[in-house]
Amino acid sequence: MSTNMPSDLILNNLLYSCEYEKKRGNEQFVPEHTLGFMMAGESHLYTPDIRILAEGAMGLARRNQLVKSVKVPPPGGMFRSISIFLPQDLLRRYSAENNITASGPYTGDSLVSLPKDAFLEGYFNSLLPYFSQPAHFSKALADLKTKEAIELLLQHNYQLKELLFDFNEPHKIDLEAFMLQNYMFNVPVSRFARLTGRSVAGFKRDFEKIFKAPPGQWLTQKRLSEAYYLLKEKGRKPSEVYLDVGFENLSHFSFAFKKTYGVAPSLL
DNA sequence: CATAGAGATGACAGATCAGA
DNA sequence: TCTGATCTGTCATCTCTATG
């Protein structure tokens, strides 16, 4: 059925995604503000609270956050979405040129659902031809189109400037709370460090103080104990939980589980 | 789908050093 | 004294394959 046809097409800062089957997104970190449009099917986003972007929905995701996504095709059809990343340098330039700034650190929702907007929809449709003829999408055009997206977003809702033009890097936040909420995201320690506003060295030191264990070890143990709970108390299956708790492949999950608990996960 | 194992590699732990 | 950057050996983790 699924001959692995190209599912993701990347042009500069544009991403066209299509899937015939329900599929997890592979990236768990949002490096830049991202504007997305669900053309067909829906996206389930875990942050870790679940948010659903239905067919036809548009959303703006703030940069510097962890999100797991599941792409769900419509019945009998194909999942299709377009995303555009809004790079910091372009946003800074736009901010300077138009003298629009955020009034302070952004405190609103990290995933903003945008109400239906004919102009934004028209904009996304204008991007479609480039995915079939990528050669036409020059760097200059990419910049123009990105600028257009920013302009349209501000027209759509001027208050989005608070999100778009917040150029602050993450400040030093409560490490314990953050880790307990985000341990199931499988990203490098350096990523956790940045997101909590620390250097890698500082992160390790603080981490050791709080959890009495190095980050890597604590993470696997935390993930395994969560998996244990899901398997034992909730009666779920290994193949269902290993991704949820932050493992990448089933093979390694089984191995690690058995090493810690002495039993294979399927025997619980 | 679940497990096991082997082999490759890349991330992490932990120490050191420099600057604030 | 605290913070951040850098380095290195080791081991954990991933990939791949085989098997039930």
Side-chain angles (χ1 to χ4, degrees):
Chain A
M1 191 74 190
S2 69
T3 44
N4 277 346
M5 58 172 305
S7 53
D8 282 354
L9 193 53
I10 298 176
L11 287 179
N12 281 305
N13 57 335
L14 295 187
L15 170 66
Y16 179 77
S17 183
C18 64
E19 295 293 343
Y20 284 104
E21 294 162 358
K22 190 169 171 176
K23 183 163 180 266
R24 302 225 178 200
N26 31 14
E27 194 52 64
Q28 304 189 352
F29 176 67
V30 184
E32 300 284 11
H33 296 323
T34 304
L35 176 63
F37 178 44
M38 299 300 115
M39 298 176 64
E42 53 187 36
S43 271
H44 297 183
L45 305 174
Y46 301 83
T47 69
D49 355 314
I50 178 165
R51 295 280 292 272
I52 294 180
L53 284 183
E55 184 157 322
M58 276 177 282
L60 181 62
R62 203 203 62 209
R63 75 196 173 100
N64 276 340
Q65 63 170 320
L66 297 166
V67 180
K68 289 189 190 190
S69 70
V70 179
K71 301 164 185 173
V72 185
M78 179 169 78
F79 170 93
R80 288 186 299 140
S81 72
I82 299 183
S83 306
I84 175 166
F85 307 108
L86 311 175
Q88 288 290 286
D89 55 334
L90 275 181
L91 286 164
R92 280 183 193 278
R93 211 186 311 158
Y94 189 97
S95 169
E97 282 170 4
N98 298 278
N99 205 21
I100 305 176
T101 56
S103 53
Y106 178 72
T107 52
D109 203 338
S110 292
L111 287 173
V112 183
S113 303
L114 306 174
K116 240 184 168 15
D117 181 307
F119 298 101
L120 280 168
E121 253 173 68
Y123 167 75
F124 278 111
N125 284 322
S126 79
L127 297 176
L128 277 176
Y130 299 105
F131 292 110
S132 44
Q133 299 188 54
H136 285 75
F137 199 67
S138 62
K139 178 75 175 78
L141 206 42
D143 285 359
L144 279 171
K145 280 296 181 186
T146 307
K147 211 167 162 183
E148 184 181 351
I150 299 169
E151 186 77 31
L152 287 174
L153 281 170
L154 290 172
Q155 275 189 25
H156 175 87
N157 177 1
Y158 188 67
Q159 281 315 303
L160 289 175
K161 77 185 174 76
E162 301 295 341
L163 184 157
L164 292 173
F165 303 126
D166 175 7
F167 299 114
N168 295 303
E169 285 307 308
H171 52 288
K172 204 165 177 173
I173 58 171
D174 182 348
L175 183 52
E176 184 171 14
F178 183 86
M179 290 313 296
L180 288 174
Q181 198 178 6
N182 294 292
Y183 65 86
M184 72 293 288
F185 290 98
N186 197 341
V187 294
V189 169
S190 56
R191 187 74 80 203
F192 281 125
R194 276 265 149 268
L195 288 171
T196 54
R198 291 165 171 82
S199 69
V200 177
F203 179 81
K204 285 187 200 165
R205 276 193 274 260
D206 288 352
F207 197 99
E208 187 80 42
K209 245 181 267 170
I210 295 168
F211 294 109
K212 316 291 180 212
Q217 282 175 33
W218 182 86
L219 281 167
T220 41
Q221 287 315 307
K222 182 74 189 163
R223 288 165 182 164
L224 283 173
S225 72
E226 177 65 14
Y228 190 93
Y229 165 76
L230 290 173
L231 292 166
K232 182 104 182 169
E233 307 298 331
K234 299 279 182 177
R236 300 185 53 196
K237 295 192 288 182
S239 58
E240 290 171 1
V241 305
Y242 79 99
L243 287 167
D244 288 342
V245 300
F247 283 86
E248 293 286 325
N249 67 69
L250 186 53
S251 176
H252 177 244
F253 169 67
S254 291
F255 175 78
F257 192 94
K258 190 166 187 183
K259 191 180 172 195
T260 299
Y261 294 107
V263 211
S266 61
L267 296 179
L268 282 182

